[in-house]
Amino acid sequence: MTLRGERPADFAYQAVYRYMISLINEVSTDARVKLPSLRQLAGRLKVSISTVQYAYSLLEKEGRVYSVAKSGYYAWPLSANPLAWAGGDLLDRLYAAARRPGMVVLSGDEPALLASLDGSLLRLERELVRHYPRQLQPWSQPCGVWELRAVLAARYTSSPTRCWHADDVYIGADLRGVLDILIDVLGLRGTTVVVESPCDWLVLRLFQDAGVRVIELPWTLEGRLDVTTLDRLLCDEPVQLVLLSARVSLPSGLVLSTPERLAVAQMLERYGCWLLENDTFGELGFTEPQTALRELVNPERLIVFSSFEKVLGSEAPYGYLLSRRMSGELQRQFLLRSFRLSSIRQRAIARLCQSGRIDVHLRALRLQLSQQAQDMCQRLDLHLGEQVAYRPPTAGATFWLGATRAVDMRQVFQRLLTQQVVIAPGELFSLSGLHQQHLRLSHTFHGHPDLDVALAAISEALRQAQT
């Protein structure tokens, strides 16, 4: 099979992506199925290996496939009976359920589903193709295209002392790949890291797989960070790194107060500890953003990571990080990974930034997210009432709900699968068993499901799962 005859407006990776969707649907069974290798697909479809790799990356982010080191890519097992999903890893079961047709997927966290720049990005990319013929494009820029790195450096610069340069910016295929490199460069295997809790499950799983000792610092019931406990941990434990959000901590939706941010910055300086700042949702606050934590800490012991996807959409899956230190080792590791990202796609993203279109888009997206969250508040109050407690979110695309009565949240998750509803149980956001009475719900989702029916099903599942 070749890709000739595909729609002329498509890029090669989009045709590969559609072909892979069709292939996965054909081979899906209750057992895992190994998919063709990058080289096999490239030869079969007459495209480059990097094109196939990019399509696989999109499929992996959607939870349709997963990779095994030195083995290849596999399709997630697909069971026709939700009751058959009762065993095994909870996150694997969530991914498997979310990719089934007809499911109301409320477990995700995709702000750009409300409004993306995918169309604008692809149109701009087509214009750039005429100015940058393939033969004039550099074959490999392992740390990312210089134009985009310079734009990001300028975007994060706030003063002469808080400035970044293009050499401080590193761009990878996705956030997972960038964080994998960071774990290697920082030598985190076997070390101790403090993370705010709840914490993104991608970060937690990467730390866990790398053998990092993770100490979770939960937000208090009053919605504050326990600065006293953090001080004790930094004093008593060999903590190498602290992971905190730039502005709003998601999924909890909590914000560090100004005194807390100053106290944390002073604490990190006193103990000589590095800050790893998660800026994934830093620009998605509904109101005027507070000063980011990175503006208060020592920039020589600071690493910031983020991605484009939450703001721009699925056509911009790249992850990136900023660091002033360890440039030699970071460059070496990115060169070893050899991501081979599309230089045209990166230039298109850079042009969107330079033209101000991303800022215009952000203003509209924040307004839509805020309005959607307000609508979701009314629906939650109507259908769940006193069954859950929550704080209205101030950023992002999700609600963090706590059951007001003791429930078996895994049982809630399982019951909802039989109703074709997928939620994210709170325990996924912890490695130590925290948040078992919580769940995360999205207020942006694919399609137009009957949300009232789904919320009524959640209410009934919570009632039946009371312990």
Side-chain angles (χ1 to χ4, degrees):
M1 173 183 174
T2 69
L3 297 182
R4 291 176 186 154
E6 293 290 343
R7 293 178 300 190
D10 283 343
F11 289 93
Y13 81 90
Q14 293 173 302
V16 175
Y17 171 88
R18 288 199 308 277
Y19 171 78
M20 289 305 303
I21 291 290
S22 175
L23 180 62
I24 290 168
N25 289 338
E26 289 175 6
V27 303
S28 292
T29 68
D30 288 348
R32 75 175 190 169
V33 176
K34 193 173 191 303
L35 296 170
S37 69
L38 300 178
R39 192 172 300 279
Q40 288 171 331
L41 272 178
R44 181 187 305 176
L45 303 178
K46 303 296 188 292
V47 296
S48 68
I49 289 178
S50 60
T51 296
V52 178
Q53 188 173 35
Y54 186 54
Y56 262 134
S57 175
L58 291 177
L59 291 165
E60 189 171 13
K61 292 154 94 57
E62 294 176 355
R64 296 178 183 270
V65 305
Y66 64 99
S67 59
V68 177
K70 299 182 181 179
S71 178
Y73 285 90
Y74 294 81
W76 282 105
L78 183 62
S79 172
N81 179 10
L83 296 177
W85 305 338
D89 183 87
L90 183 61
L91 185 56
D92 290 351
R93 289 154 55 198
L94 186 150
Y95 279 145
R99 58 171 281 231
R100 283 193 57 79
M103 303 298 281
V104 179
V105 181
L106 300 181
S107 57
D109 190 4
E110 301 298 333
L113 286 178
L114 281 184
S116 76
L117 282 178
D118 285 347
S120 299
L121 189 60
L122 293 176
R123 285 192 295 272
L124 185 53
E125 185 170 312
R126 293 187 185 100
E127 293 173 12
L128 288 172
V129 166
R130 294 195 291 270
H131 299 291
Y132 293 92
R134 184 178 296 276
Q135 65 272 19
L136 298 180
Q137 295 178 34
W139 174 250
S140 177
Q141 292 181 295
C143 297
V145 168
W146 185 264
E147 185 176 349
L148 182 55
R149 297 171 72 191
V151 165
L152 284 172
R155 197 169 181 87
Y156 276 85
T157 293
S158 58
S159 72
T161 57
R162 303 278 175 181
C163 60
W164 300 90
H165 304 285
D167 283 335
D168 302 327
V169 182
Y170 305 85
I171 301 169
D174 54 26
L175 197 53
R176 177 190 295 273
V178 168
L179 292 176
D180 266 332
I181 288 177
L182 194 57
I183 288 171
D184 285 340
V185 171
L186 291 175
L188 294 182
R189 301 177 192 277
T191 65
T192 301
V193 169
V194 172
V195 303
E196 62 184 344
S197 186
C199 180
D200 185 278
W201 63 53
L202 169 63
V203 176
L204 291 176
R205 292 298 178 100
L206 287 175
F207 281 162
Q208 185 181 51
D209 292 345
V212 178
R213 179 187 173 218
V214 176
I215 298 178
E216 298 179 53
L217 183 68
W219 290 78
T220 67
L221 295 176
E222 295 76 30
R224 305 176 65 89
L225 194 68
D226 193 339
V227 179
T228 302
T229 298
L230 177 60
D231 193 4
R232 178 180 56 78
L233 289 173
L234 296 182
C235 179
D236 298 342
E237 301 282 353
V239 177
Q240 183 168 337
L241 186 78
V242 175
L243 169 63
L244 294 170
S245 297
R247 293 187 172 95
V248 181
S249 176
L250 295 177
S252 64
L254 299 173
V255 182
L256 278 173
S257 67
T258 299
E260 286 173 325
R261 290 202 302 277
L262 290 171
V264 168
Q266 293 168 1
M267 211 177 293
L268 295 175
E269 181 67 16
R270 186 163 68 250
Y271 292 105
C273 193
W274 282 72
L275 171 67
L276 178 59
E277 185 186 71
N278 181 354
D279 194 39
T280 309
F281 294 92
E283 295 191 288
L284 288 172
F286 302 158
T287 57
E288 191 68 25
Q290 297 194 27
T291 302
L293 193 54
R294 61 179 173 269
E295 301 297 331
L296 304 173
V297 303
N298 184 346
E300 300 300 319
R301 287 195 290 272
L302 167 67
I303 299 174
V304 181
F305 72 86
S306 187
S307 70
F308 299 104
E309 189 172 22
K310 299 299 183 185
V311 171
L312 299 186
S314 60
E315 299 290 348
Y318 309 130
Y320 62 87
L321 64 85
L322 295 89
S323 174
R324 289 186 180 183
R325 303 291 297 274
M326 305 170 296
S327 58
E329 185 60 18
L330 280 168
Q331 290 172 13
R332 188 177 79 85
Q333 289 294 336
F334 272 81
L335 183 60
L336 287 174
R337 295 308 196 282
S338 190
F339 285 125
R340 292 188 179 181
L341 313 180
S342 166
S343 60
I344 292 295
R345 177 63 53 86
Q346 293 178 74
R347 284 192 173 95
I349 296 173
R351 301 294 170 88
L352 286 176
C353 289
Q354 291 170 324
S355 66
R357 292 173 70 181
I358 283 184
D359 293 315
V360 172
H361 169 72
L362 271 170
R363 287 194 289 270
L365 180 57
R366 292 187 195 110
L367 179 60
Q368 286 183 277
L369 288 169
S370 177
Q371 293 172 343
Q372 191 87 352
Q374 291 175 23
D375 177 68
M376 189 67 159
C377 282
Q378 296 176 2
R379 293 174 184 266
L380 289 174
D381 293 342
L382 174 64
H383 293 285
L384 301 184
E386 297 181 354
Q387 289 179 287
V388 297
Y390 67 92
R391 290 183 176 85
T394 58
T398 61
F399 279 72
W400 184 243
L401 308 177
T404 54
R405 298 178 182 175
V407 298
D408 182 340
M409 198 59 73
R410 285 204 174 205
Q411 187 182 125
V412 172
F413 172 75
Q414 196 63 38
R415 286 181 182 276
L416 288 172
L417 292 186
T418 65
Q419 303 296 314
Q420 294 188 298
V421 177
V422 186
I423 63 166
E427 66 177 277
L428 290 172
F429 303 88
S430 169
L431 293 178
S432 58
L434 301 176
H435 318 307
Q436 295 196 15
Q437 296 298 301
H438 287 80
L439 68 149
R440 187 185 74 180
L441 280 189
S442 170
H443 60 81
T444 63
F445 26 76
H446 286 287
H448 302 281
D450 192 330
L451 188 56
D452 292 314
V453 171
L455 291 177
I458 293 174
S459 174
E460 179 62 18
L462 286 169
R463 187 187 65 78
Q464 293 185 8
Q466 287 183 21
T467 56

